[in-house]
């Protein structure tokens, strides 16, 4: 490998490091700083120390409310502040985000970059005029606090193996679906981290760039300059790519460009907004994507959600009532010996701040596209037919995955109900259980999926119903 020797004159071409300002902890405790500066920095420090994902600063009639989104749920962070601090605190955050403090009638977006415990942390800022003042929401973009790795995200061994296998394909398109804040970007970057190799050219287009990975070309969407997902993707195709990541597929142009890239020998990873894995095909068809493109290029669909994890220091075992189990399609006679867990009623645990939950865990639904399903997609099969094929192939539903996590004590039935329990989800799970249960017509015995013949009367598997 050839080595270049650079002289000192090249140092003048290096861009200066971005100004991060003083560390947040230091500025929050700086007695010489003004009270409003200290308050703003204390809010940011509180959010970072408690690993919040969003900060909501909300002017109300009785004063200023500050709430943090902890593990997907908003919690009060401070006592209600007096209304007189609203103008000063709003102006302080707008100055930090380089926004116009004189504009109070139009929404504004900006970005704050600060130092915290030796790391650079970004905050995406949104300012919205409201009745009692301007509401400010800050999204924390602290990539250093997130550990990338599929084995750290997916607890089910079968789902983990299927996702890794689909992500290792040389070409095709893999869709990751779910609502905003369900961890889609983390899953995609974990896939990229496993594929990241000097022998591959990996490029991403995102809005915004949430993680930084060495050895990967990352491009930020800039709609003011006309650089959207589709235009960046077309530019990537002239850059000799191997793996492409598209932050979000939201229109027909982006979808068709991504599918054409997958058909021409590239692996494309992208996200899509829909309820579950089988409905992703219908979502793309609604955009106007031809079915022949989907059937020829789609590798699979990964749908996901995030559930709050029970605090291991204060969770308590209990036996749910029959009515509670029935809501999930479970029978008390089959599960009477299984203990579920829940947070204590009067919680004073210092590890979870009395919330009963600490951290979140992923729930995944993996739909692999085999030859039969690809043919069905090409023939215009509906969502119900694709769902039946996926369940026949052994797909575990979101609700089934969540109930398994509840049985293992990772989360509670209440959390599963809050995030996953819908009428359609319960119907899918019951259908999956029926498909995975085979009965011998010879002796009526229940059989496992891996048995080819009935071990009791030797009736061949092909005659089972």
């Amino acid at each position: 490998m050839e080595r270049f020797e650079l002289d000192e004159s090249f140092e003048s071409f290096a861009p200066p490091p971005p100004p991060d300002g003083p560390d947040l902890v230091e500025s929050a405790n700086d007695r010489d700083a003004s009270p409003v500066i200290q308050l703003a920095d204390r809010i940011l420090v509180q959010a970072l120390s408690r690993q919040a994902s969003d900060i909501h600063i909300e002017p109300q009639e009785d004063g200023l409310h500050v709430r943090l989104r902890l593990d997907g749920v908003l919690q009060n962070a401070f006592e209600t502040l007096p209304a007189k601090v609203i103008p000063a605190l709003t102006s302080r955050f707008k100055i930090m985000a380089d926004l116009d403090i004189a504009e109070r009638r139009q929404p504004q977006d900006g970005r704050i970059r600060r130092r915290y415990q030796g790391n650079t942390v970004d905050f995406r800022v949104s300012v919205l005029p409201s009745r009692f003042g301007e509401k400010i929401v800050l999204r924390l973009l602290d990539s250093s606090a997130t550990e990338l790795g599929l084995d750290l995200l997916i607890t089910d061994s079968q789902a983990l193996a299927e996702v890794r296998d689909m992500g290792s394909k040389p070409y095709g398109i893999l869709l990751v679906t779910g609502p905003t804040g369900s961890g889609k970007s983390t899953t995609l970057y974990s896939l990229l981290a496993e594929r990241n190799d000097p022998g591959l050219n990996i490029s991403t287009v995102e809005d915004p760039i949430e993680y930084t990975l060495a050895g990967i070309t990352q491009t930020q969407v800039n709609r003011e300059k006309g650089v959207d997902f589709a235009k960046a993707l077309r530019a990537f195709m002239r850059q000799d790519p191997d793996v492409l990541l598209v932050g979000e597929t939201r229109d027909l142009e982006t979808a068709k460009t991504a599918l054409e890239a997958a058909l021409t020998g590239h692996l494309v990873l992208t996200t899509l907004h829909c309820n579950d894995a089988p409905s992703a095909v219908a979502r793309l068809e609604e955009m106007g994507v031809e079915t022949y493109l989907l059937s020829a290029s789609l590798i699979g669909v990964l749908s996901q959600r995030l559930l709050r994890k029970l605090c291991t220091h204060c969770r308590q075992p209990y036996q749910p009532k029959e009515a509670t189990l029935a809501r999930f399609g479970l029978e008390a006679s089959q599960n009477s010996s299984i203990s579920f867990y829940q947070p204590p009623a009067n919680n004073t645990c210092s590890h979870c701040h009395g919330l009963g939950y600490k951290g979140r865990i992923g729930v995944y639904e993996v739909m692999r596209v085999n030859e039969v399903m690809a043919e069905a997609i090409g023939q215009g099969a509906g969502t119900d037919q694709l769902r039946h094929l996926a369940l026949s192939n052994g797909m575990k539903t979101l609700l089934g995955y969540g109930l398994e996590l509840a049985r293992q004590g990772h989360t509670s039935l209440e959390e599963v109900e809050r995030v996953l329990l819908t009428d359609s989800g319960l119907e899918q799970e019951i259908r999956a259980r029926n498909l995975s249960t085979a009965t011998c017509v010879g002796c009526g015995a229940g059989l496992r999926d891996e048995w080819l013949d009935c071990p009791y009367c030797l009736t061949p598997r092909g005659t089972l119903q």
Side-chain angles (χ1 to χ4, degrees):
M1 185 182 297
E2 187 175 357
R3 178 183 177 87
F4 286 99
E5 296 291 342
L6 303 179
D7 56 38
E8 296 181 356
S9 62
F10 278 87
E11 294 181 0
S12 61
F13 294 93
D20 296 325
D23 189 271
L24 274 173
V25 177
E26 295 178 2
S27 58
N29 297 323
D30 186 3
R31 296 183 178 180
D32 296 332
S34 66
V36 67
I37 293 178
Q38 284 186 313
L39 177 59
D41 289 343
R42 282 181 58 196
I43 292 174
L44 299 182
V45 169
Q46 175 85 328
L48 287 166
S49 63
R50 298 190 63 179
Q51 298 180 345
S53 60
D54 300 89
I55 307 171
H56 289 241
I57 301 172
E58 304 165 308
Q60 298 293 335
E61 187 174 9
D62 60 338
L64 184 66
H65 295 232
V66 180
R67 296 189 293 171
L68 304 179
R69 188 171 294 278
L70 303 171
D71 299 329
V73 179
L74 284 172
Q75 307 282 349
N76 288 321
F78 296 90
E79 295 182 358
T80 302
L81 300 172
K84 63 182 180 182
V85 307
I86 294 176
L89 188 62
T90 300
S91 297
R92 172 57 185 166
F93 278 114
K94 292 170 76 173
I95 290 172
M96 294 171 69
D98 197 21
L99 300 177
D100 184 0
I101 62 173
E103 178 57 71
R104 297 185 178 89
R105 296 171 295 178
Q106 294 289 336
Q108 297 187 69
D109 296 317
R111 199 178 184 99
I112 297 173
R113 170 167 289 185
R114 295 296 299 271
R115 300 284 296 176
Y116 176 72
Q117 295 183 348
N119 297 318
T120 300
V121 183
D122 289 316
F123 300 86
R124 191 172 62 198
V125 183
S126 173
V127 181
L128 180 69
S130 66
R131 180 179 180 183
F132 300 105
E134 292 176 284
K135 176 179 177 179
I136 300 177
V137 176
L138 299 93
R139 165 64 59 90
L140 279 68
L141 304 173
D142 184 13
S143 58
S144 63
T146 304
E147 295 185 51
L148 298 178
L150 289 175
D151 54 340
L152 300 175
L153 303 176
I154 305 176
T155 57
D156 184 80
S157 58
Q158 180 181 350
L160 175 61
E162 290 181 343
V163 172
R164 277 180 167 159
D165 183 62
M166 291 188 295
S168 64
K169 299 296 184 184
Y171 58 88
I173 185 167
L174 174 61
L175 302 174
V176 179
T177 72
T180 302
S182 60
K184 299 187 298 294
S185 297
T186 304
T187 300
L188 286 176
Y189 266 98
S190 296
L191 269 172
L192 287 186
E194 295 197 354
R195 290 299 305 270
N196 195 5
D197 183 86
L200 293 177
N201 178 20
I202 303 177
S203 301
T204 76
V205 53
E206 307 163 67
D207 183 25
I209 296 174
E210 297 187 29
Y211 300 96
T212 301
L213 283 181
I216 291 179
T217 302
Q218 297 176 265
T219 302
Q220 167 78 47
V221 167
N222 188 346
R223 292 183 176 83
E224 294 180 358
K225 302 297 183 180
V227 181
D228 55 12
F229 287 111
K231 187 171 185 178
L233 193 52
R234 287 194 296 271
F236 285 160
M237 297 303 294
R238 298 187 290 271
Q239 294 267 316
D240 185 30
D242 294 300
V243 181
L244 300 171
L245 185 151
V246 182
E248 184 179 351
T249 300
R250 61 178 67 175
D251 53 54
L252 177 59
E253 185 181 11
T254 304
K256 293 193 71 171
T257 307
L259 289 167
E260 289 167 359
L263 284 172
T264 53
H266 309 91
L267 178 64
V268 181
L269 311 176
T270 186
T271 69
L272 191 69
H273 287 285
C274 58
N275 293 329
D276 56 14
S279 62
V281 174
R283 179 74 182 91
L284 290 172
E285 290 177 357
E286 290 171 0
M287 290 184 184
V289 176
E290 294 86 350
T291 56
Y292 72 88
L293 285 175
L294 285 172
S295 63
S297 59
L298 186 60
I299 300 173
V301 184
L302 173 65
S303 183
Q304 66 180 80
R305 302 287 191 276
L306 290 176
L307 298 177
R308 291 183 295 171
K309 292 174 63 177
L310 283 169
C311 176
T312 56
H313 296 87
C314 65
R315 65 179 183 179
Q316 294 178 346
Y318 77 108
Q319 297 289 339
K321 297 179 180 179
E322 290 188 16
T324 302
L325 292 174
R327 288 207 304 272
F328 298 92
L330 303 175
E331 297 180 10
S333 60
Q334 297 177 352
N335 298 276
S336 58
S337 61
I338 300 177
S339 293
F340 290 87
Y341 290 84
Q342 64 181 0
N346 299 317
N347 196 353
T348 58
C349 177
S350 60
H351 295 87
C352 62
H353 301 282
L355 299 176
Y357 298 92
K358 186 173 179 61
R360 289 192 285 180
I361 190 169
V363 181
Y364 301 90
E365 182 177 85
V366 184
M367 185 183 82
R368 298 195 62 164
V369 177
N370 54 19
E371 293 183 6
V372 176
M373 188 173 294
E375 183 179 354
I377 293 173
Q379 295 174 354
T383 300
D384 286 340
Q385 184 179 348
L386 295 178
R387 182 177 292 114
H388 184 273
L389 289 173
L391 294 173
S392 300
N393 293 333
M395 181 186 77
K396 181 179 292 187
T397 66
L398 287 169
L399 180 57
Y401 197 116
L403 289 174
E404 189 64 30
L405 292 177
R407 289 190 186 100
Q408 297 170 0
H410 295 299
T411 189
S412 65
L413 287 176
E414 290 77 11
E415 183 68 5
V416 173
E417 181 176 10
R418 182 183 72 88
V419 178
L420 300 174
L421 188 58
T422 62
D423 291 340
S424 60
L426 180 57
E427 182 181 349
Q428 293 174 41
E429 176 59 16
I430 293 175
R431 188 182 303 174
R433 293 177 195 169
N434 292 337
L435 286 172
S436 63
T437 303
T439 304
C440 175
V441 295
C443 64
L447 303 175
R448 297 179 183 176
D449 292 340
E450 63 269 21
W451 289 349
L452 298 177
D453 301 320
C454 175
Y456 308 106
C457 66
L458 301 182
T459 301
R461 181 91 182 184
T463 61
L464 303 179
Q465 63 178 8

